[in-house]
Amino acid sequence: MEKITKVLIANRGEIALRVIRACRELEIKSVSIYSSVDFAGVWVRKADERCLLEGDPIQVYLDYKRIVDLAKEIGADAIHPGYGFLSENADFAEYCVSQGIIFIGPKAEHIALFGDKMASKIAMKAVGVPVLGGTDEAITDTAEAIKVAKEIGFPVIIKAAFGGGGKGMRIVKKEEDFVAMFEAATKEAERFFGKGDAFIEKYVLNPRHIEVQIMADKFGNVMHLGERDCSIQRRHQKVVEIAPSPRLNDAVRKELLRTSKKAMFKLGYESVGTVEYLVDEEDNFYFIEMNTRVQVEHTITEAITGIDIVQSMIRIAEGEKLPMMQEEVKFRGYAIEFRINAEDPKNGFIPSSGRISTYLSPGGPGVRLDSIGHKDYYVPTNYDSMIGKLIVVGIDWEGVVRKARRALGEFIISGIPTNIPLHRQIVRDEDFKQGIFNTTYLDKKLPTFTLDAIQDIAEDEAYSESLAAIAIALKTFKK
Ligand code: MV4
């Protein structure tokens, strides 16, 4: 047991606020680092201590030697990496340990292993997880790769071994397109990740994107915390996440959860992690990648299990055993997370920035808002466009969709465009209400959605009057 007394949070925004909250409940001191752009961020204020990192607004969150040296200087005994930035940098995890700082996350060896999507497939296949057919090592000989592609059958998908977010990925429908697509994929991966290694897989048509939350301590205890359906994505960015998956066949669910837990046990995994799968139209599931970090959407798993995943990460890092047995984990109801992004749905979802002039938060039964937004917050251009997450939880799917519609109707952010109008369209969509969606959902639905914020608030007459009244009141009192 190594009791942690002070955590440096090597991140920003809503996940930094999330870690601060977990620390506070554990009576652990929290330290925020912040760039010159982030000086007014609410997570900076809410931490027990804060340190300005002068320099490039993005690089300061990536300079891990400086961050670890700062942790030592201020007497932090642990670092939480959050997600993004350094959260899956094995060298960072290693450097923390070498400097006597507890890294709140998995072992560096697992971060390194799962950072390589090819090595991940080989490792997961060896511990009984279904993977897709294709090449087992980096493609160096395209003629050989085309031969493999013809054996498994087009379409195939070319993937960068060190890629992410869809970069270095190409779908190849015909043999004659292969070489050009392969070169494009490897060049892109080289440009974005410095390593162009690529492999191919059989392309799964219209898959659902299902992921399994894993939690493991340092004593070989491993548990799953159910699955999440992350199929509603736009350009490889998740937009809406749901737990549990509304229409996943229960036998498939049981096999997914059992396979994931067993694999992580066999690999000696520690801390939290998420095993990502594709589920095809015949309910076959295939491993695609493993995330060795806490994810944005951990919240919906917390909502249906009552387990605080971030506090659990910290306790595991202190050397505590898992808080309960698998059989004690109870799953209740459904939860949906809506990512609230500063982006303009009427302008190709380009990131927006500027001052929030009105910020009216939703509330009431089953509503959680993890957000750094507030009136007069200036949304910067330097970072990811997500300013928060609206999570709703209810006992059944139909009820939780109604709750989402009510909460989204209350959620008013003006001064900058956001994607709230998109969420309002999704929760009104018949297919969504039936739980009928896969990873093609948004591509198919976006052209049919009306994304005019005023138009869709007006649909909730009950709210538009009261909101108009509030807006008038705000204007009146502001004078
Ligand atoms: C796939 C796939 C179909 N077949 N792999 C992997 C990373 C994730 N961001 C998207 N991934 C996919 N991998 C095989 N063998 C479909 C996806 C996929 C996807 C691919 C292209 C365009 C959009 C997509 C959205 C979700 C999933």
Side-chain angles (χ1 to χ4, degrees):
M1 270 294 285
E2 294 176 73
K3 188 83 191 79
I4 292 172
T5 58
K6 188 188 282 190
V7 172
L8 183 148
I9 301 157
N11 216 302
R12 64 175 297 281
E14 71 88 18
I15 193 63
L17 180 57
R18 176 71 188 85
V19 176
I20 289 167
R21 287 171 165 157
C23 290
R24 189 137 298 148
E25 291 187 24
L26 293 172
E27 296 177 9
I28 292 174
K29 291 282 180 219
S30 57
V31 184
S32 282
I33 58 172
Y34 63 100
S35 70
S36 52
V37 168
D38 279 333
F39 69 94
V42 68
W43 72 92
V44 179
R45 280 202 302 276
K46 286 199 186 258
D48 296 299
E49 298 170 33
R50 60 210 51 74
C51 300
L52 168 64
L53 295 181
E54 303 270 11
D56 174 83
I58 292 177
Q59 285 312 311
V60 295
Y61 292 112
L62 293 169
D63 183 350
Y64 68 75
K65 287 204 163 62
R66 182 184 182 188
I67 290 170
V68 173
D69 294 347
L70 174 65
K72 286 160 68 178
E73 194 186 312
I74 59 166
D77 32 33
I79 290 179
H80 197 298
Y83 52 66
F85 290 121
L86 291 166
S87 62
E88 296 191 296
N89 183 320
D91 296 336
F92 172 49
E94 202 122 77
Y95 187 67
C96 287
V97 174
S98 73
Q99 298 299 305
I101 298 287
I102 295 170
F103 176 78
I104 300 173
K107 292 185 281 195
E109 69 179 272
H110 286 133
I111 297 175
L113 167 64
F114 290 116
D116 176 344
K117 291 183 172 42
M118 239 177 339
S120 303
K121 277 180 72 175
I122 294 165
M124 292 297 260
K125 185 177 176 183
V127 288
V129 179
V131 298
L132 282 152
T135 53
D136 265 351
E137 59 260 338
I139 302 170
T140 47
D141 173 350
T142 45
E144 172 58 24
I146 291 175
K147 185 164 162 284
V148 170
K150 284 166 77 173
E151 280 158 13
I152 52 180
F154 286 95
V156 296
I157 185 167
I158 299 168
K159 289 183 174 179
F162 300 94
K167 296 236 175 0
M169 192 182 288
R170 292 293 186 282
I171 300 163
V172 185
K173 295 187 171 64
K174 302 192 300 272
E175 179 181 341
E176 52 267 33
D177 301 339
F178 187 89
V179 175
M181 301 282 247
F182 169 69
E183 276 157 14
T186 42
K187 270 201 192 74
E188 191 172 80
E190 191 67 50
R191 186 153 62 94
F192 281 96
F193 309 107
K195 290 185 255 185
D197 292 11
F199 61 101
I200 65 167
E201 284 179 344
K202 173 74 185 152
Y203 183 66
V204 176
L205 285 171
N206 309 323
R208 274 174 290 174
H209 184 133
I210 306 287
E211 59 186 34
V212 175
Q213 181 67 64
I214 290 292
M215 199 151 80
D217 63 22
K218 294 178 183 289
F219 307 94
N221 301 307
V222 182
M223 67 168 36
H224 71 74
L225 292 177
E227 91 279 358
R228 298 184 285 257
D229 190 325
C230 301
S231 302
I232 300 181
Q233 314 185 1
R234 183 179 168 276
R235 296 191 182 171
H236 300 286
Q237 294 298 317
K238 295 165 183 172
V239 174
V240 178
E241 303 105 336
I242 299 159
S245 177
R247 294 174 80 96
L248 185 65
N249 167 297
D250 209 45
V252 174
R253 167 176 291 112
K254 283 191 172 59
E255 188 54 16
L256 258 175
L257 299 175
R258 186 193 66 77
T259 306
S260 306
K261 182 174 158 179
K262 190 170 145 205
M264 292 299 109
F265 171 75
K266 286 184 169 179
L267 289 168
Y269 192 79
E270 288 174 12
S271 190
V272 301
T274 299
V275 193
E276 290 197 358
Y277 297 91
L278 296 174
V279 179
D280 71 14
E281 291 173 303
E282 289 74 46
D283 274 352
N284 302 301
F285 62 88
Y286 305 97
F287 168 78
I288 45 171
E289 52 196 82
M290 165 86 186
N291 302 313
T292 53
R293 65 177 190 275
V294 63
Q295 292 199 256
V296 170
E297 62 270 24
H298 75 277
T299 56
I300 53 178
T301 300
E302 294 186 324
I304 64 168
T305 61
I307 292 170
D308 185 312
I309 289 173
V310 178
Q311 287 192 40
S312 302
M313 282 180 89
I314 296 168
R315 289 182 181 281
I316 286 166
E318 288 182 310
E320 286 214 13
K321 285 182 182 281
L322 287 182
M324 65 187 66
M325 307 298 289
Q326 181 73 61
E327 303 66 47
E328 296 170 75
V329 180
K330 299 296 175 227
F331 300 91
R332 187 175 181 280
Y334 286 88
I336 310 175
E337 176 180 83
F338 300 91
R339 295 192 185 199
I340 308 301
N341 298 334
E343 56 189 20
D344 188 350
K346 292 189 293 184
N347 200 350
F349 292 93
I350 57 163
S352 58
S353 69
R355 190 177 65 83
I356 291 177
S357 53
T358 307
Y359 190 88
L360 298 179
S361 308
V367 177
R368 166 177 168 178
L369 185 61
D370 280 23
S371 170
I372 52 153
H374 59 77
K375 180 173 168 48
D376 296 333
Y377 176 58
Y378 189 93
V379 180
T381 56
N382 315 67
Y383 306 107
D384 180 84
S385 65
M386 191 176 79
I387 53 176
K389 301 146 6 179
L390 170 62
I391 298 100
V392 292
V393 58
I395 52 166
D396 58 52
W397 175 246
E398 196 241 339
V400 81
V401 174
R402 277 206 311 270
K403 187 181 292 292
R405 177 169 174 158
R406 190 266 300 164
L408 285 162
E410 294 177 7
F411 203 176
I412 304 295
I413 299 178
S414 53
I416 57 161
T418 72
N419 65 345
I420 291 174
L422 168 61
H423 292 311
R424 287 184 180 142
Q425 292 289 312
I426 290 172
V427 295
R428 284 171 174 75
D429 174 59
E430 276 317 309
D431 285 331
F432 180 80
K433 291 198 279 192
Q434 303 297 320
I436 300 170
F437 44 76
N438 59 43
T439 55
T440 65
Y441 173 82
L442 270 187
D443 284 347
K444 287 190 176 124
K445 292 286 180 177
L446 272 171
T448 71
F449 283 167
T450 317
L451 295 171
D452 176 332
I454 308 303
Q455 188 272 340
D456 69 10
I457 296 179
E459 275 183 32
D460 289 305
E461 280 311 315
Y463 281 121
S464 55
E465 268 89 42
S466 60
L467 290 176
I470 291 168
I472 292 163
L474 285 171
K475 276 196 174 57
T476 314
F477 290 124
K478 199 173 66 173
K479 279 188 190 101

